[in-house]
Amino acid sequence: MGGMGGRGGGRSAFSFDDDDDDMMGGGMPGMFSSGMPGGMPGGMPGMGGARTRRAPGGGPSSTRAAPENAGPSEIVRPLKVKLEDLVTGTTKKLKVTRRLLNGEQVEKTLEIIIQPGFKAGTKFRFKGEGNEREGAEPQDLVFVLEELPHERFTRDGNDLITTEKLTLLEALTGTGGTRQITTLDGKRVSVPIPPSVVQPNSETRLPGYGMPIRKDGQVKQNGDLIVKWEIVFPERLTNSQKEGLKKILS
């Protein structure tokens, strides 16, 4: 588990679990709102259970069950992130409203730093930034990263996959050449088209143009960009065209 400094108060302790897809759910709703586009209104389902607490002075830990009326120990919500932001990295600012024991509601802004190469399932935890609970520690806020679908690229581990179309004529009579593609980080890349006849399901692999690969907290290389060639067949042919193809291909 890596750690980052918390934001907005001495109580906050923020950490993340990279590539952890243990999705927690169930429990009671908490008070929560978001300043992100699309918003996250309403409650965040959490998960209750026993809490492990450190004795004063750093002594041995002890475990006690939270009272039934204390509510869940965590509030968990998805954090939806664009695929291009997982290439370049970004910072998300979230407005949260926590409920105090005296009935007051306090609003604050939390920041989540998205590092290049983070994967779906990465968890971001804000210790004690949820609602206060009777007879128990305040709830943790936990955000679980989700990748938003992209219109041109899909992610396969550390690789990126995209599709380029070729007409049947290009596939049968092409002489290679290149196709220009704009990558997720805005770069223009020349992709070589397979020479001669392009077979169905052909693909071209460009090493180093995929997702950033994180290792020991750093990005030292990238995955591959895989271009799949889709052959577009004509919807209809005239009789003369059919006869011509029969002569050529027979």
Side-chain angles (χ1 to χ4, degrees):
M1 174 182 292
M4 296 182 188
R7 306 281 180 152
R11 176 188 292 276
S12 174
F14 170 59
S15 62
F16 69 87
D17 300 328
D18 193 7
D19 199 21
D20 180 358
D21 34 47
D22 178 18
M23 301 289 288
M24 296 171 288
M28 296 171 59
M31 300 295 295
F32 187 81
S33 64
S34 169
M36 295 192 308
M40 283 191 280
M44 300 200 307
M47 182 173 73
R51 301 280 294 180
T52 301
R53 304 187 63 181
R54 179 66 58 180
S61 61
S62 61
T63 302
R64 66 179 179 84
E68 291 185 3
N69 61 353
S73 61
E74 296 173 328
I75 300 176
V76 183
R77 287 293 278 180
L79 177 66
K80 300 180 184 295
V81 181
K82 295 179 181 179
L83 190 56
E84 46 264 60
D85 287 338
L86 297 176
V87 172
T88 60
T90 188
T91 298
K92 296 289 186 182
K93 294 185 177 182
L94 311 176
K95 284 186 178 180
V96 299
T97 303
R98 64 193 301 249
R99 185 173 59 244
L100 307 182
L101 287 178
N102 60 10
E104 295 182 4
Q105 295 182 17
V106 178
E107 184 179 278
K108 69 187 305 182
T109 300
L110 305 176
E111 287 188 356
I112 296 181
I113 300 175
I114 308 295
Q115 298 285 1
F118 273 5
K119 296 180 180 180
T122 301
K123 293 178 182 177
F124 305 86
R125 181 181 297 274
F126 290 85
K127 183 71 174 177
E129 293 290 359
N131 298 325
E132 291 186 346
R133 303 185 300 158
E134 185 71 37
E137 297 176 354
Q139 295 170 312
D140 294 351
L141 297 184
V142 181
F143 300 91
V144 183
L145 191 150
E146 290 186 6
E147 296 177 4
L148 288 170
H150 194 274
E151 60 181 5
R152 293 192 301 119
F153 294 92
T154 57
R155 182 177 186 175
D156 182 11
N158 294 319
D159 296 335
L160 287 172
I161 301 173
T162 189
T163 299
E164 286 289 312
K165 295 182 178 181
L166 294 174
T167 66
L168 181 58
L169 183 63
E170 289 174 319
L172 293 175
T173 65
T175 56
T178 60
R179 183 70 61 86
Q180 293 291 315
I181 291 180
T182 302
T183 61
L184 279 173
D185 56 358
K187 297 177 182 177
R188 294 286 291 175
V189 179
S190 294
V191 182
I193 301 173
S196 187
V197 176
V198 181
Q199 301 292 333
N201 302 318
S202 295
E203 61 182 43
T204 301
R205 182 179 292 266
L206 276 70
Y209 286 96
M211 294 296 299
I213 301 175
R214 299 190 63 80
K215 188 175 182 180
D216 299 327
Q218 295 182 334
V219 174
K220 296 184 179 180
Q221 62 181 7
N222 285 52
D224 298 343
L225 172 61
I226 301 172
V227 180
K228 295 188 175 183
W229 301 102
E230 178 184 344
I231 301 173
V232 181
F233 285 75
E235 293 184 0
R236 62 183 62 86
L237 293 173
T238 64
N239 289 332
S240 60
Q241 288 173 328
K242 292 178 182 178
E243 291 301 321
L245 285 173
K246 289 178 181 179
K247 292 178 182 180
I248 295 171
L249 298 177
S250 61

